[in-house]
Amino acid sequence: MEPITNWLRQNLKGDPVLWGIVLLFSFISIAVVYSATGTLAYKKMGGNTEYFLFKHTSLIFVGLFFMWLAHRIDYRYYSRLSLYALLISVPLLLFTYFFGGTTFNDASRWLTIPIINQTFQPSDLAKLALISHLASMLSRRQQHVDDFKTTLLPVMLWVGAICGLIIMSNASTALLLFATCLLLMFIGRVPLKQMAVMVVIGIVVGGVGLTAGQRYKTVISRIENFTDKSKPVPFQLEHAYIAEATGGLFGKGPGKSTERNIMPHPYSDFIYAIIIEEYGLFGGAIVLFLYLAFLYRGLKTVINSYGAFGGLLSAGLSFSLVLQAMVNMGVAVGLGPITGLPLPLLSMGGTSLIFTGISIGIILAVSRGEREIRPMVGEPEDTARIPRVSQYA
């Protein structure tokens, strides 16, 4: 037993509670996705239900591997890599919008990677790159956060460009990313006046991008369906309500969902409804608690971070994942208009699991412990340390 414990200490560094939460989510995801893909397996794989089980389990292990890989890297390197990732993201987003071969609901969001034939959303890369680069920009400008030209202008250009490009094909992702950036700016001590300017610019850029893009009619329709109570409840939401109502306190039991055979995409957008149907209100509450625990540990990493960049980076990535989870669960129980966002760490996915794993790996890299942090190559000893982000709050 001791050799195993020593191996875990040497190879799984960072916050052990975060590791535990992610592993719990992985087990839950495998069980629920296996149940939710039964009908899909019958239609597409001739009843081979194990196909999606093995595929999803394999992708989870790939995501965990990338998480492990990301957490082994000194998180300060991500400050340098984020700009290159952004520069790659912009042409990828443009190419996907105009020439993306894989579409869904009249939206061009995916590119198909040759050879492995796996779909890839450039918005996943752009989201991770923007949060990382914004954390880098704010950490380097802590003495000039009230300067429009030095701080707000470059922040405004990058946030406006990335969110504006994403909103043309994926409004919900763009809005959540913009909200995360605003939270990051608030934590980074950007004055409220400048944040107000940022909100105005976001509304203008978002309005233009939405109007010129592919999702304007869909967004308006979904908002009207949510606000106009005289309209019938959308089909998928109606059956999500049925799943939640019949789940009761402890659910029907694993694999005994009936609404999975009726709802479109029960393994992604509305997987939370399947969780409640099979595991009841108790199971749904546990999932909610795990996300809140994840946010708490991520913010604790912010408080204990080595410097401003690490704290802002951990905060941005933690908020991004948990905000998306809250929106997904809120939609499933009727607290917001339908968005189409998957539930992070639980929904069936492809490359999104990899980018989620990288994001969590970066949070773990920040939480690895200050004793391991050393000046980077070419960085003077006296400038290696910068004030903790808690000093700026």
Side-chain angles (χ1 to χ4, degrees):
M1 194 65 182
E2 187 175 347
I4 297 177
T5 304
N6 291 334
W7 185 91
L8 290 174
R9 288 175 178 173
Q10 292 175 2
N11 292 276
L12 303 184
K13 297 180 182 292
D15 189 344
V17 177
L18 272 179
W19 277 106
I21 292 172
V22 172
L23 291 177
L24 274 175
F25 271 129
S26 300
F27 288 128
I28 295 171
S29 178
I30 292 171
V32 178
V33 168
Y34 179 50
S35 173
T37 53
T39 301
L40 182 67
Y42 178 78
K43 291 179 179 178
K44 292 193 173 183
M45 307 306 300
N48 182 13
T49 56
E50 285 75 21
Y51 173 80
F52 289 106
L53 171 64
F54 289 124
K55 180 181 179 181
H56 182 62
T57 303
S58 300
L59 286 170
I60 283 181
F61 276 107
V62 171
L64 289 173
F65 170 75
F66 275 92
M67 183 176 75
W68 175 82
L69 201 63
H71 105 288
R72 300 288 297 183
I73 300 173
D74 188 327
Y75 68 84
R76 290 173 295 177
Y77 282 107
Y78 295 112
S79 176
R80 301 177 180 180
L81 295 173
S82 61
L83 178 59
Y84 299 109
L86 273 181
L87 294 175
I88 294 173
S89 298
V90 172
L92 278 178
L93 288 169
L94 289 170
F95 182 84
T96 304
Y97 180 77
F98 289 106
F99 307 106
T102 306
T103 61
F104 180 74
N105 285 343
D106 299 321
S108 302
R109 301 178 185 174
W110 291 268
L111 289 176
T112 301
I113 303 174
I115 302 175
I116 64 174
N117 198 33
Q118 179 68 51
T119 56
F120 157 66
Q121 284 197 71
S123 60
D124 289 331
L125 173 62
K127 181 168 63 174
L128 176 59
L130 179 60
I131 293 172
S132 302
H133 192 59
L134 181 57
S136 177
M137 287 191 292
L138 291 175
S139 67
R140 294 174 182 273
R141 293 166 171 81
Q142 279 298 297
Q143 305 304 320
H144 308 283
V145 288
D146 56 347
D147 188 286
F148 178 86
K149 184 178 180 181
T150 303
T151 302
L152 184 62
L153 187 59
V155 168
M156 177 183 66
L157 291 174
W158 277 118
V159 174
I162 298 299
C163 292
L165 288 172
I166 293 176
I167 203 172
M168 294 194 296
S169 60
N170 194 341
S172 51
T173 296
L175 291 173
L176 272 182
L177 179 57
F178 185 72
T180 302
C181 291
L182 288 178
L183 281 170
L184 206 52
M185 291 171 68
F186 178 76
I187 296 173
R189 298 191 311 124
V190 174
L192 293 178
K193 290 183 179 180
Q194 292 199 19
M195 290 183 63
V197 174
M198 191 69 189
V199 171
V200 173
I201 293 170
I203 292 173
V204 174
V205 173
V208 173
L210 191 61
T211 305
Q214 303 167 331
R215 305 296 288 169
Y216 178 74
K217 292 182 179 179
T218 302
V219 170
I220 296 300
S221 173
R222 288 177 173 177
I223 293 175
E224 288 177 348
N225 286 334
F226 177 72
T227 56
D228 189 352
K229 301 305 179 183
S230 64
K231 290 189 175 184
V233 178
F235 179 81
Q236 62 268 50
L237 194 56
E238 179 184 3
H239 286 278
Y241 291 162
I242 295 173
E244 292 153 3
T246 57
L249 187 60
F250 296 105
K252 299 176 180 178
K256 295 183 179 180
S257 167
T258 54
E259 296 304 314
R260 64 181 177 178
N261 301 318
I262 304 172
M263 292 171 57
H265 315 296
Y267 42 82
S268 57
D269 301 356
F270 285 90
I271 197 169
Y272 191 61
I274 303 301
I275 292 173
I276 295 177
E277 184 182 12
E278 293 191 347
Y279 300 93
L281 181 63
F282 181 72
I286 288 177
V287 170
L288 175 60
F289 171 78
L290 286 175
Y291 280 115
L292 293 177
F294 182 95
L295 179 62
Y296 170 75
R297 300 305 296 190
L299 294 182
K300 190 172 182 180
T301 298
V302 175
I303 297 173
N304 298 326
S305 63
Y306 182 82
F309 173 64
L312 292 169
L313 184 61
S314 179
L317 295 176
S318 298
F319 276 124
S320 176
L321 288 171
V322 178
L323 278 177
Q324 181 174 329
M326 294 302 167
V327 169
N328 177 282
M329 293 186 289
V331 168
V333 298
L335 296 179
I338 296 174
T339 62
L341 288 170
L343 189 58
L345 295 168
L346 289 179
S347 293
M348 185 174 76
T351 53
S352 62
L353 289 172
I354 294 175
F355 284 102
T356 300
I358 294 173
S359 299
I360 299 172
I362 294 174
I363 297 172
L364 287 167
V366 178
S367 72
R368 267 170 48 186
E370 324 317 337
R371 292 189 304 272
E372 297 184 16
I373 301 298
R374 296 290 184 271
M376 296 173 64
V377 177
E379 183 181 25
E381 180 77 31
D382 59 349
T383 62
R385 292 183 176 274
I386 56 179
R388 290 173 179 255
V389 70
S390 56
Q391 296 177 5
Y392 298 128

